[in-house]
Amino acid sequence: PAGYYDNYYKKSTALKLYVRKVLISEEFEDFMPRYLGFIKGVVDSEDLPLNVSRETLQQSKVLRVMSKKLTRKAIAMLRKMAEDCEDDEDEEDENEEEEDDAEGTEKECKFDAFYSEFGKSLKLGVLEDNANKKKLGKLLRYETSKSEGKLIGLQEYVENMPESQEHIYYITGESKDAVKNSPFIERLTRKGIEVVYMVDPLDEYIINAIPEFDGIRLQSVTKEDLEIAQSEAAKEKAKKLKEEFKPFSEWLATKLGKRVSKVEVSNRLAQSPCVLVTSKYGWSANMERIMKAQTLGSADSQPWMKASKILEINPNHPLIKELKERSQSDEDNELKNSVELLYTTALLSSGFPVEDPKAFAQNVHEIIAKNLGVDSLEVELEAEEPLDNGEDEGEEEEEEEEEEDSASKDEL
């Protein structure tokens, strides 16, 4: 609903409290946690005393027990709604060619409709309710690289995992289009591995709250040390490539200086020449963007968490191969610009802002000029006329008045 999360931290007035059918309060906030504030209803109790103040009632042990039971009941109701939705989908798959198929396609899953409105509340519950976060975690829904636009739970993801897969792979980003076309998932999608798309800013905090699901660790594809199951022959080939590209990696790290902590051969790229990954325990590029966008916050207040960038290169890409060959002589003046442009494009494709937009634009303009056969980018400018501030005209008028005065005196 419009404005619901704008007033999230205000008191909820959804539940009314009755004791033995006598209204005690129309605005009783102590039954439900804040993240379940969308639930409306009436609570009638036979166990609470009538002849005590509301303040005393709030400290009642019976009230605390009722609160826990109501919370568990609400979560169980949501879980049942989600299970019913899954059962309906199974029935539709079985009967999709029968006469009621048209009705099945029009039928909307109640839980999906609920999740589109109040999915953020469940995520906030994972962050706020430590006792129930595992139950709430099973209710979370995400799009994946294989779900074809449908929202699925982590439980369904685990059920679809091949036996050789050891982790739940996810990617965080600003939008679905950004993560779908990200270079980070190129090799994973080629290998048929499903990747979870997490595009809600709350998801960055969710990962810290539930680092694993059913004993399976969640692994970010945008951070270092990405583990992908592969054969012994593939491991040996990757080891040889790292040794072959070690001198080039060191040369590239020297050229980029302190902007990157190191340069490595990538195991996640297929079509892109390079990408910038972050350290395992720091912020991702998306988290850094979120922190910078906060109105009253500042990313500079936690410098130790800022993303430490690691440049990963694709040893099979033609640009990297050519750059490696030319780096051995290091006499080409264009190498510096090529390295700078490669680094800046890696920043953009990895979700980081461009550090020096003017220098990046200049580099692009030089490439365009070279393609068009333009020898120089210098613009021949004509001399600019200074703005007239009106002082000269005032002085000329004063001089004219003085001359007229003196001429009239002479006549007299």
Side-chain angles (χ1 to χ4, degrees):
Y4 177 79
Y5 292 105
D6 295 336
N7 303 317
Y8 179 74
Y9 288 100
K10 293 183 179 179
K11 291 184 177 180
S12 169
T13 59
L15 290 181
K16 296 180 180 181
L17 174 63
Y18 286 77
V19 175
R20 302 186 190 112
K21 299 182 180 179
V22 176
L23 178 63
I24 301 298
S25 175
E26 290 190 356
E27 300 180 356
F28 206 78
E29 300 91 16
D30 298 331
F31 275 132
M32 287 289 185
R34 189 185 292 114
Y35 67 89
L36 292 176
F38 53 82
I39 293 179
K40 296 183 179 181
V42 174
V43 178
D44 190 6
S45 173
E46 298 287 334
D47 302 319
L48 294 172
L50 270 171
N51 58 345
V52 291
S53 66
R54 188 173 182 276
E55 288 75 18
T56 307
L57 194 62
Q58 285 177 323
Q59 298 173 4
S60 169
K61 289 182 180 179
V62 176
L63 193 67
R64 288 198 292 271
V65 172
M66 290 173 64
S67 175
K68 288 180 181 178
K69 287 186 176 180
L70 284 170
T71 302
R72 287 200 296 267
K73 185 75 175 174
I75 294 173
M77 177 186 67
L78 294 174
R79 189 169 65 246
K80 179 70 167 60
M81 192 191 300
E83 288 171 356
D84 290 345
C85 186
E86 290 170 5
D87 293 341
D88 290 343
E89 285 179 1
D90 292 339
E91 287 176 11
E92 283 179 21
D93 290 340
E94 291 173 4
N95 304 323
E96 61 181 356
E97 293 183 0
E98 295 182 4
E99 19 178 353
D100 61 344
D101 180 58
E103 270 180 41
T105 53
E106 290 174 7
K107 187 175 181 181
E108 185 181 6
C109 171
K110 288 183 180 179
F111 186 77
D112 285 350
F114 161 81
Y115 195 84
S116 66
E117 295 289 338
F118 298 108
K120 283 184 183 291
S121 292
L122 298 183
K123 293 178 181 180
L124 288 164
V126 171
L127 301 175
E128 296 173 0
D129 190 350
N130 196 51
N132 294 303
K133 70 178 182 180
K134 287 186 178 179
K135 294 177 183 177
L136 291 167
K138 292 182 178 181
L139 296 174
L140 299 183
R141 297 290 184 266
Y142 297 100
E143 283 191 47
T144 72
S145 56
K146 287 186 175 181
S147 67
E148 298 179 350
K150 283 176 55 182
L151 295 174
I152 68 167
L154 294 178
Q155 186 64 50
E156 186 176 343
Y157 178 99
V158 171
E159 290 170 0
N160 296 336
M161 280 172 51
E163 291 183 6
S164 59
Q165 186 176 332
E166 298 178 352
H167 306 294
I168 297 172
Y169 296 101
Y170 70 91
I171 179 171
T172 56
E174 190 173 359
S175 65
K176 179 188 169 184
D177 289 336
V179 296
K180 185 179 179 181
N181 301 313
S182 172
F184 291 110
I185 65 172
E186 287 177 351
R187 186 156 179 240
L188 290 168
T189 51
R190 279 175 59 84
K191 288 176 72 69
I193 296 174
E194 194 169 14
V195 181
V196 180
Y197 297 156
M198 296 187 173
V199 295
D200 189 334
L202 281 174
D203 292 332
E204 288 282 358
Y205 303 93
I206 291 291
I207 296 306
N208 295 325
I210 45 172
E212 61 177 40
F213 182 84
D214 280 356
I216 303 173
R217 188 164 64 89
L218 278 75
Q219 184 165 38
S220 171
V221 301
T222 67
K223 295 195 173 184
E224 64 176 331
D225 297 335
L226 179 67
E227 299 173 12
I228 304 175
Q230 53 186 352
S231 64
E232 290 299 323
K235 288 180 182 177
E236 191 62 32
K237 184 180 178 182
K239 188 177 179 182
K240 287 180 180 178
L241 275 174
K242 284 185 179 180
E243 288 297 323
E244 181 187 342
F245 277 79
K246 188 176 179 181
F248 174 66
S249 299
E250 292 173 352
W251 175 86
L252 203 53
T254 304
K255 289 290 182 185
L256 294 172
K258 293 182 179 179
R259 288 178 289 178
V260 296
S261 57
K262 56 184 175 180
V263 178
E264 292 183 339
V265 172
S266 180
N267 67 337
R268 73 190 82 205
L269 296 176
Q271 295 292 336
S272 301
C274 57
V275 75
L276 282 164
V277 302
T278 54
S279 58
K280 190 179 292 185
Y281 301 107
W283 286 338
S284 64
N286 188 52
M287 186 63 179
E288 191 171 313
R289 177 187 64 82
I290 291 168
M291 294 301 291
K292 285 181 178 178
Q294 291 186 14
T295 306
L296 301 177
S298 171
D300 297 329
S301 62
Q302 294 176 289
W304 59 89
M305 291 298 292
K306 289 187 75 172
S308 174
K309 301 180 185 70
I310 300 162
L311 182 68
E312 288 194 358
I313 55 174
N314 183 357
N316 300 315
H317 198 279
L319 287 179
I320 299 299
K321 288 180 177 179
E322 184 64 24
L323 200 59
K324 177 177 175 289
E325 290 297 323
R326 295 197 182 191
S327 68
Q328 293 173 3
S329 60
D330 200 10
E331 295 176 356
D332 195 340
N333 293 328
E334 292 183 359
L335 279 187
K336 183 180 177 182
N337 284 344
S338 298
V339 169
E340 288 294 327
L341 199 55
L342 206 59
Y343 172 75
T344 310
T345 53
L347 277 175
L348 289 170
S349 62
S350 304
F352 291 99
V354 177
E355 295 170 354
D356 189 347
K358 185 178 179 180
F360 174 62
Q362 182 66 24
N363 253 340
V364 174
H365 294 160
E366 287 175 3
I367 292 171
I368 295 171
K370 188 176 180 181
N371 290 337
L372 295 177
V374 177
D375 296 328
S376 174
L377 292 176
E378 292 295 327
V379 180
E380 295 181 2
L381 299 173
E382 298 179 359
E384 298 288 347
E385 295 181 2
L387 292 176
D388 191 356
N389 56 15
E391 291 181 0
D392 294 340
E393 289 183 5
E395 290 176 359
E396 288 178 2
E397 288 177 0
E398 287 179 4
E399 289 176 0
E400 288 177 0
E401 287 177 1
E402 289 177 0
E403 289 176 1
E404 288 177 0
D405 292 341
S406 60
S408 60
K409 286 178 183 179
D410 291 342
E411 289 176 1
L412 289 172

